[in-house]
């Protein structure tokens, strides 16, 4: 007789949980997945996928305007928010069905409902208890609203942004991370008067300083009111308006406020504390290199742990968990050289070390940069610029980091991430034939270098 109902019980059917469960099920393990909302998790339902669709929708405004410089005569365009939301919902529903099929084909049982832990081997969903040899927590993250007076009552988060009944005329976005930057660009290009408020010196902490400054200038050029050193102290309703109060008795009035001030692991009220599972102060589960928590039968991956909160990382963690626990191949995940994109307008992408991180580790390093107006805009008339940066070790010549703001930056950086992973040198970049005319060729034609600067500026 089997000791447990399942070999693996996964809580959360997001990117990481689905990958781990599908692989385990396909290899013959008895697997169940509990999901309280929709299959696919944050990325599919209220994250990467709908956000990228919104980015595409927003950018059509510029594409249509740019066409005039190429001889196209276009009637003044109109935009219908309800159509975009409806089309987005249809695509998400399709993806939900795809995830259902993927899990079912792998023999995984899907259980609808919120799961809580009863003991190290028992999970309860809607009053029904299930036992498992291993339990995997893959519950992802959730938007975090800061403790600002009136924030809960008078603002929405990124989750709500995908389901607004109508577009506001004026919008304040509070935050300085990639979610805040992306939605500021989306709403601005959809015709909303957007103000971005960030409490720090410069948004997008962790990215290269030159990219941060360059993107801030480009966003201002596109009409977004970007305000740094602008901490919000309270939100108040005044009739149809929301009053946003800042420090030093400053205020501004708007129609709506979006809080994009961070996310936290979605691990609350699951029974983890009762079982003694070690957690950080923000609710992230503490795991070892093989994703085992302080309770030997309980594991965790994805945004529920304190690593890198990105969908491809969660997927890789899910695969590594399966390889270690069900395939007999102990596997860890490296968090070095992760390519990252901010789907701002224009987009930003990066892989490898920032200039200051490289300088602080190796001393002076070689820095190559290029700033130019894209060929497309010589006829469109748009003032948008592109910025590229490459960092190399002066002794080994190894390329340490590659960074870009401009059209197609995510696509270009994804390809160049292979070169970083393979430890390519600047000489190998120089020996690579350029593809002309393209923006990407700049990365193999950079010749003018400067020395790096020393210390990180405050965020």
């Amino acid at each position: 007789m089997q000791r447990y109902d399942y070999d693996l019980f996964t809580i959360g059917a997001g990117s990481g949980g689905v990958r781990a469960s599908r692989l385990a099920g396909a290899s013959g393990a008895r697997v169940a997945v509990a999901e309280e909302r929709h299959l696919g998790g944050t990325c599919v339902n209220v994250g990467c996928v709908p956000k990228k669709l919104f980015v595409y929708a927003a950018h059509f405004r510029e594409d249509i305007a740019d066409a005039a410089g190429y001889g196209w005569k276009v009637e003044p365009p109109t935009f219908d928010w309800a159509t975009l939301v409806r089309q987005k919902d249809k695509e998400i529903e399709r993806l939900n069905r795809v995830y259902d099929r993927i899990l079912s084909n792998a023999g995984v049982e899907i259980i609808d409902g919120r799961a809580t832990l009863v003991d190290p081997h028992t999970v309860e969903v809607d009053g029904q208890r299930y036992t498992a040899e291993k339990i995997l927590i893959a519950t992802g993250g959730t938007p975090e609203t800061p403790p600002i007076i009136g924030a809960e009552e008078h603002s929405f988060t990124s989750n709500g942004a995908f389901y607004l009944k109508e577009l506001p005329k004026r919008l304040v976005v509070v935050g300085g991370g990639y979610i805040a930057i992306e939605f500021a660009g989306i709403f601005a290009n959809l015709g909303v008067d957007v103000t971005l408020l960030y409490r720090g010196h410069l948004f997008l902490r962790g990215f290269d300083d030159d990219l941060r400054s360059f993107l801030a200038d480009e966003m201002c050029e596109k009409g977004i009111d970007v305000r740094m050193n602008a901490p919000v102290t309270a939100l108040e309703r005044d009739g149809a308006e929301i009053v946003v109060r800042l420090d030093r008795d400053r205020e501004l009035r708007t129609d709506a406020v979006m809080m994009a001030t961070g996310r936290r692991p979605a691990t609350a009220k699951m029974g983890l504390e009762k079982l003694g599972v070690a957690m950080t102060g923000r609710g992230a589960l503490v795991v070892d290199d093989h994703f085992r928590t302080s309770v030997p039968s309980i594991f965790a991956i994805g945004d529920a742990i304190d690593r890198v909160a990105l969908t491809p990382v969660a997927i890789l963690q899910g695969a590594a968990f399966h390889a270690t626990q069900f395939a007999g191949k102990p596997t860890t995940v490296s968090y070095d050289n992760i390519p990252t994109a901010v789907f701002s307008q224009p987009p930003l992408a990066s892989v490898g070390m920032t200039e200051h991180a490289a300088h602080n580790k190796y001393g002076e390093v070689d820095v190559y940069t290029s700033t130019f107006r894209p060929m497309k805009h010589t006829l469109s008339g748009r003032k948008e610029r592109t910025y590229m940066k490459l960092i190399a070790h002066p002794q080994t010549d190894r390329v340490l980091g590659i960074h870009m703001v401009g059209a197609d930056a995510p696509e270009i950086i994804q390809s160049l991430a292979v070169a970083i992973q393979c430890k390519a040198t600047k000489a190998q970049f120089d020996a690579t034939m350029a593809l002309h005319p393209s923006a990407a060729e700049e990365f193999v034609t950079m010749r003018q270098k400067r020395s790096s600067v020393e210390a990180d500026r405050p965020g």
Side-chain angles (χ1 to χ4, degrees):
M1 293 181 62
Q2 298 286 354
R3 183 179 176 188
Y4 301 108
D5 299 327
Y6 300 100
D7 301 310
L8 172 65
F9 195 105
T10 301
I11 303 177
S15 301
V18 167
R19 175 58 62 92
S21 302
R22 179 179 67 82
L23 292 175
S27 65
R30 296 168 302 135
V31 182
V33 174
E35 174 54 59
E36 64 175 318
R37 294 186 181 89
H38 304 291
L39 299 179
T42 296
C43 180
V44 167
N45 295 282
V46 287
C48 326
V49 172
K51 176 194 67 182
K52 190 68 179 292
L53 295 175
F54 278 19
V55 169
Y56 286 138
H59 205 276
F60 276 115
R61 183 181 186 183
E62 292 187 355
D63 293 337
I64 293 168
D66 292 346
Y70 286 85
W72 290 92
K73 297 190 184 302
V74 183
E75 294 295 327
T78 59
F79 171 71
D80 184 64
W81 170 255
T83 298
L84 173 60
V85 173
R86 184 171 60 252
Q87 291 292 92
K88 177 266 300 180
D89 289 344
K90 287 172 59 178
E91 173 60 11
I92 300 310
E93 289 169 5
R94 184 189 71 82
L95 291 174
N96 293 154
R97 294 192 296 271
V98 169
Y99 273 79
D100 187 304
R101 186 168 63 252
I102 287 172
L103 290 170
S104 298
N105 289 346
V108 177
E109 181 179 353
I110 301 170
I111 300 172
D112 296 326
R114 177 174 173 77
T116 56
L117 284 86
V118 178
D119 62 46
H121 292 281
T122 305
V123 174
E124 182 174 301
V125 183
D126 293 338
Q128 179 71 42
R129 292 190 173 186
Y130 308 88
T131 61
E133 181 180 359
K134 297 178 175 67
I135 297 172
L136 178 63
I137 309 298
T139 47
T142 187
E144 189 170 29
T145 301
I148 294 172
I149 297 170
E152 291 285 353
E153 301 90 338
H154 304 308
S155 69
F156 61 88
T157 67
S158 57
N159 285 4
F162 295 111
Y163 298 98
L164 292 177
K165 297 299 182 185
E166 58 184 20
L167 282 179
K169 288 186 173 62
R170 299 170 298 171
L171 173 68
V172 168
V173 179
V174 181
Y178 69 95
I179 295 175
I181 306 310
E182 290 171 338
F183 274 100
I186 288 169
F187 284 116
N189 258 17
L190 293 179
V192 179
D193 182 1
V194 175
T195 300
L196 176 70
L197 302 177
Y198 178 51
R199 64 182 181 178
H201 162 72
L202 188 59
F203 57 41
L204 292 179
R205 289 179 60 184
F207 285 91
D208 188 271
D209 282 349
D210 287 338
L211 265 72
R212 299 162 70 193
S213 297
F214 188 88
L215 180 59
D217 290 342
E218 289 298 299
M219 291 176 66
C220 291
E221 184 66 35
K222 290 178 181 290
I224 299 173
D225 184 359
V226 179
R227 304 189 191 184
M228 310 296 183
N229 300 309
V232 176
T233 60
L235 302 181
E236 300 171 5
R237 171 69 67 179
D238 183 11
E241 294 185 318
I242 297 174
V243 180
V244 181
R245 301 206 178 277
L246 310 173
D247 64 348
R248 303 195 299 276
D249 296 323
R250 295 177 295 169
E251 70 172 47
L252 58 90
R253 291 173 176 264
T254 186
D255 301 316
V257 176
M258 177 178 175
M259 284 289 170
T261 51
R263 296 174 63 85
R264 57 179 171 79
T267 57
K269 299 180 181 179
M270 291 182 60
L272 293 163
E273 299 91 343
K274 177 182 63 177
L275 299 184
V277 177
M279 306 169 72
T280 69
R282 296 189 65 253
L285 278 64
V286 178
V287 298
D288 63 17
D289 288 343
H290 296 294
F291 311 107
R292 191 187 299 270
T293 70
S294 57
V295 176
S297 60
I298 299 176
F299 301 79
I301 59 173
D303 293 5
I305 66 176
D306 195 11
R307 295 293 192 274
V308 180
L310 293 171
T311 294
V313 172
I315 291 172
L316 198 59
Q317 290 171 343
F321 166 79
H322 163 262
T324 301
Q325 300 301 324
F326 292 95
K329 300 176 182 177
T331 303
T332 59
V333 173
S334 170
Y335 301 98
D336 295 330
N337 298 323
I338 297 173
T340 308
V342 180
F343 291 98
S344 48
Q345 300 191 37
L348 175 155
S350 178
V351 63
M353 304 181 78
T354 66
E355 176 180 341
H356 296 313
H359 183 107
N360 293 342
K361 182 172 182 177
Y362 297 112
E364 277 196 8
V365 292
D366 294 336
V367 180
Y368 301 81
T369 63
S370 178
T371 305
F372 57 91
R373 188 183 190 187
M375 185 178 183
K376 173 183 177 181
H377 297 315
T378 58
L379 296 190
S380 75
R382 189 170 299 280
K383 294 181 180 180
E384 182 176 300
R385 300 171 300 151
T386 291
Y387 177 80
M388 295 178 170
K389 186 173 188 176
L390 185 148
I391 301 151
H393 194 291
Q395 280 77 49
T396 67
D397 199 40
R398 178 182 169 185
V399 177
L400 302 172
I402 307 174
H403 312 277
M404 177 178 175
V405 175
D408 300 320
E411 308 297 336
I412 293 171
I413 293 298
Q414 172 65 86
S415 299
L416 293 179
V418 177
I420 291 278
Q421 189 68 20
C422 294
K423 300 180 173 58
T425 64
K426 180 64 169 66
Q428 289 170 325
F429 270 65
D430 293 345
T432 300
M433 187 68 71
L435 191 160
H436 182 76
S438 70
E441 69 179 303
E442 290 288 323
F443 279 117
V444 299
T445 60
M446 292 177 174
R447 297 294 185 269
Q448 293 298 317
K449 68 181 177 182
R450 63 169 172 81
S451 296
S452 57
V453 292
E454 186 171 357
D456 279 308
R457 296 181 293 195

